[in-house]
Amino acid sequence: QVKELVLDNCRSDDGKVVGLSSDFENLEFLSMINVNLLSVSNLPKLNKLRKLELSDNRISGGLEVLAERTPNLTHLNLSGNKIKDINTLEPLKKLPNLHSLDLFNCEVTMLINYRESVFTLLPQLTYLDGFDADDQEAPDSDPEADGDGLEDEYENGEEDDDDEEDDLDEEVIDDEEDEDDDLEGEEEEDGVDDEEEDEEEDGEEDEEDEADDDLPRGEKRKRNVEDEGEEDAEEEEEDEDD
């Protein structure tokens, strides 16, 4: 029941991949990139095969086998092989469903009027090397299909994360500034209270001094003498008690 089989970078034995047989009758996709294939003559009968990847091998001809073994092929990739002439591609006419053919890095692509010649030879083709006859790119070659869209999304996700981190940092800084403002406010209040207390004490002392200044000089002296006399009397009483 296998529908897809990838054998990339395996090594073929005399152009044949061991184990690949017609038992894979339900196979729809087969990839044999860089397996040192010299031809496709040893391919098994795969009636349901739609896509065949044969890039980076040493195939130079013998493509008539594809019409016999893979009659329903729609996509064929022969990039990086030894195909040099347009006539080598003529057997592909017998693949009526073939609408995409890739020949990148084959010598045939260097020929004058290469694209026009291939589209004329194979009228069933829609895309050659990823583009149609009007140079419109095939849908399968869109940037999103190649994974570029995922990279952009990842980068945007990182930017969003960076923005969120910046916002968090700003919030932390704001909170620290608020705490500093509160502490400064408390210190200012404490300073005001201390100043008020000092002012009150200074005021009381000033009031006493003013009261003494209002008395005549003689009464001030008398009052001081009386105060000293009272203190001496108290000291004498304490001595007699002893």
Side-chain angles (χ1 to χ4, degrees):
Q1 300 298 319
V2 177
K3 293 184 177 181
E4 296 186 5
L5 184 60
V6 177
L7 301 172
D8 298 349
N9 302 313
C10 295
R11 280 290 175 259
S12 61
D13 183 11
D14 291 332
K16 181 178 181 180
V17 177
V18 178
L20 181 61
S21 66
S22 56
D23 291 339
F24 292 91
E25 56 183 14
N26 292 313
L27 206 59
E28 296 179 4
F29 174 82
L30 175 61
S31 181
M32 293 191 295
I33 298 173
N34 189 32
V35 297
N36 201 32
L37 280 182
L38 299 175
S39 72
V40 292
S41 59
N42 290 316
L43 272 178
K45 182 79 169 177
L46 300 170
N47 287 327
K48 294 184 179 181
L49 194 68
R50 296 287 186 272
K51 296 182 179 181
L52 180 59
E53 293 276 349
L54 295 173
S55 59
D56 298 328
N57 285 290
R58 296 193 293 167
I59 299 168
S60 59
L63 300 182
E64 59 275 358
V65 175
L66 295 177
E68 300 173 6
R69 311 282 175 83
T70 59
N72 292 305
L73 208 60
T74 60
H75 292 72
L76 176 61
N77 190 343
L78 291 170
S79 302
N81 280 279
K82 305 296 182 180
I83 297 172
K84 300 179 180 180
D85 302 319
I86 295 290
N87 293 335
T88 305
L89 304 172
E90 189 169 358
L92 299 181
K93 284 182 177 181
K94 297 180 181 180
L95 292 170
N97 297 317
L98 185 67
H99 69 263
S100 178
L101 175 64
D102 288 318
L103 296 167
F104 290 112
N105 296 324
C106 291
E107 290 186 35
V108 68
T109 62
M110 305 299 293
L111 297 176
I112 298 174
N113 298 324
Y114 151 70
R115 289 181 60 79
E116 292 82 354
S117 299
V118 174
F119 276 117
T120 301
L121 179 66
L122 306 173
Q124 78 273 34
L125 276 186
T126 303
Y127 299 105
L128 175 62
D129 300 332
F131 291 86
D132 64 14
D134 297 324
D135 289 332
Q136 297 296 315
E137 192 172 7
D140 290 343
S141 299
D142 287 345
E144 292 182 359
D146 294 337
D148 292 344
L150 293 176
E151 292 179 1
D152 293 340
E153 184 177 348
Y154 177 70
E155 290 176 359
N156 292 334
E158 285 187 343
E159 290 177 359
D160 294 340
D161 291 341
D162 292 339
D163 292 340
E164 290 178 0
E165 290 178 359
D166 292 340
D167 292 340
L168 290 174
D169 292 340
E170 289 178 0
E171 290 178 0
V172 171
I173 291 172
D174 291 340
D175 292 339
E176 291 177 353
E177 289 178 354
D178 292 340
E179 290 177 359
D180 292 340
D181 292 341
D182 293 340
L183 291 174
E184 288 177 1
E186 291 177 0
E187 290 176 357
E188 288 178 0
E189 290 178 0
D190 293 340
V192 171
D193 293 340
D194 293 341
E195 288 177 1
E196 290 178 353
E197 290 177 1
D198 293 340
E199 288 177 359
E200 289 177 359
E201 292 176 358
D202 293 341
E204 291 177 358
E205 292 176 358
D206 291 342
E207 288 177 359
E208 291 178 357
D209 293 340
E210 287 176 359
D212 291 340
D213 291 341
D214 291 340
L215 293 174
R217 184 174 295 176
E219 289 184 3
K220 277 186 188 180
R221 181 176 180 77
K222 183 179 179 181
R223 182 177 174 185
N224 292 334
V225 171
E226 289 176 355
D227 292 339
E228 290 175 358
E230 289 177 358
E231 290 176 356
D232 294 339
E234 289 176 357
E235 290 177 356
E236 290 176 359
E237 287 179 359
E238 290 176 358
D239 293 337
E240 289 176 359
D241 292 336
D242 293 338

